[in-house]
Amino acid sequence: TAGEAELNWSRLSVSTETLESELEARGEERRGAREALLRLLLPHNRLVSLPRALGSGFPHLQLLDVSGNALTALGPELLALRGLRTLLAKNNRLGGPSALPKGLAQSPLCSSLQVLNLSGNALSSLPADLHRLTRLRILFCSDNQFTELPVCLGQCAQLSMIGFKAN
């Protein structure tokens, strides 16, 4: 039904290129359904980057699961997902200063993102302006390379649950 759409492509060994063309084709065929997509499940595939079509065509997306892929960075496509509430990006290869997109804290995600799971990556820091994600309630960053808790966590007013074990 409209407003309840879920696209589940878990464990299909889909590459970024295949996903890109599939998302574009679905958008051209059924623009209405594309706008109503609420949950996009892409765990355990072969994604090395987020598809470009993701940023421009899914204004109602609330949950994005890209866990268990080979992502080294979450690109700028993420910034356009103005309704995204839950981002699951665990068990990838995220690390370094470009792991999270520049401008994250100035994007529409500031007022929508509530759950962020970045566990099982190679992160050693978080953006200093993470506190601008004013609705962030749950943050998991276990099994990364943190040597201390990021200072920015103390400024996250809505944060009620964090996980930083095994760092």
Side-chain angles (χ1 to χ4, degrees):
T1 58
E4 297 179 8
E6 175 176 286
L7 182 55
N8 187 344
W9 282 352
S10 302
R11 300 181 185 273
L12 295 178
S13 295
V14 176
S15 69
T16 302
E17 295 78 20
T18 301
L19 179 60
E20 182 76 42
S21 62
E22 187 65 30
L23 290 177
E24 286 175 3
R26 283 178 181 261
E28 290 169 9
E29 290 172 13
R30 298 177 47 205
R31 178 74 180 159
R34 183 176 179 200
E35 289 179 349
L37 187 66
L38 297 179
R39 293 174 299 279
L40 182 55
L41 309 175
L42 302 169
H44 307 289
N45 282 291
R46 295 180 297 150
L47 303 180
V48 295
S49 63
L50 295 177
R52 290 181 308 276
L54 183 66
S56 61
F58 299 93
H60 302 291
L61 195 65
Q62 294 178 3
L63 183 144
L64 175 62
D65 186 352
V66 292
S67 300
N69 282 287
L71 300 172
T72 56
L74 297 173
E77 300 81 9
L78 189 65
L79 302 179
L81 299 175
R82 64 181 180 261
L84 193 66
R85 294 181 189 165
T86 302
L87 175 59
L88 307 175
K90 58 187 182 177
N91 301 321
N92 277 285
R93 299 177 185 162
L94 301 174
S98 62
L100 298 175
K102 297 268 188 260
L104 178 65
Q106 291 80 33
S107 73
L109 291 175
C110 284
S111 58
S112 67
L113 194 63
Q114 298 174 22
V115 177
L116 180 58
N117 191 334
L118 299 171
S119 296
N121 284 289
L123 296 169
S124 59
S125 66
L126 292 172
D129 57 359
L130 189 74
H131 68 279
R132 291 191 179 172
L133 297 175
T134 58
R135 302 212 36 208
L136 189 64
R137 295 180 300 109
I138 299 170
L139 174 66
F140 292 118
C141 290
S142 298
D143 298 310
N144 274 287
Q145 298 176 0
F146 291 94
T147 56
E148 59 188 21
L149 285 176
V151 175
C152 63
L153 294 182
Q155 299 172 313
C156 295
Q158 298 296 316
L159 203 56
S160 61
M161 184 183 297
I162 60 170
F164 275 82
K165 69 178 183 174
N167 272 290

